[in-house]
Amino acid sequence: MSTAHHSPAAPADPAPEDPAPHDAGPPGPASFAVRVGDADLEPEPLDPEQIVSGSPEVTGKVLWESADGRQIRGIWQITPGVVTDTEADELFVVVSGRATVEVEGGDTLEVGPGDACVLRAGDRTTWTVHETLRKAYHISL
């Protein structure tokens, strides 16, 4: 779903800084790994106007954000229900759960564990979440 739900308003624990001198490699956070299925997530309240049915709850964690804020990588989860959204340019991989994503004027996407999905910026979507869905994502703004 869009950046409205991936907002860094609930900042993730920052990755450790690279202790090596800048000439030894790129500056910034060190490389790291996260077990996506076990990561602790923080509440990310939905705009009530996006909820079509049910009582879906969203949680997430930003794992990395570029200095200019135009690239965001993280983990996001939503419980069953139906919500609408306007998408950002996003690639995500479903770790667990199932959903049907209807793209207005486009395809209907059935996504589940192991599926990779690409959403275009500006796509208006309706998400029917059948089983709590958790995904790892990369958004380009």
Side-chain angles (χ1 to χ4, degrees):
M1 298 191 59
S2 79
T3 57
H5 306 297
H6 297 98
S7 147
D13 295 331
E17 290 298 316
D18 184 355
H22 290 290
D23 61 342
S31 297
F32 64 94
V34 174
R35 186 168 299 275
V36 176
D38 297 335
D40 289 330
L41 307 179
E42 299 293 326
E44 294 184 6
L46 275 169
D47 178 342
E49 292 184 13
Q50 290 181 271
I51 300 172
V52 175
S53 68
S55 300
E57 294 181 9
V58 172
T59 53
K61 182 172 189 165
V62 172
L63 299 174
W64 177 89
E65 183 173 339
S66 63
D68 65 3
R70 296 180 51 95
Q71 305 288 319
I72 304 169
R73 298 173 186 156
I75 302 168
W76 184 85
Q77 180 172 287
I78 185 169
T79 61
V82 180
V83 298
T84 61
D85 200 17
T86 301
E87 303 299 336
D89 179 18
E90 178 178 4
L91 164 67
F92 67 83
V93 176
V94 177
V95 177
S96 60
R98 290 184 320 108
T100 301
V101 183
E102 296 175 58
V103 180
E104 187 177 287
D107 292 333
T108 296
L109 313 171
E110 298 291 340
V111 297
D115 290 337
C117 183
V118 174
L119 298 173
R120 291 181 307 177
D123 277 350
R124 296 189 51 77
T125 57
T126 300
W127 289 65
T128 302
V129 181
H130 309 291
E131 298 169 8
T132 297
L133 182 127
R134 183 175 282 218
K135 66 182 183 176
Y137 67 86
H138 175 96
I139 293 175
S140 298
L141 302 174

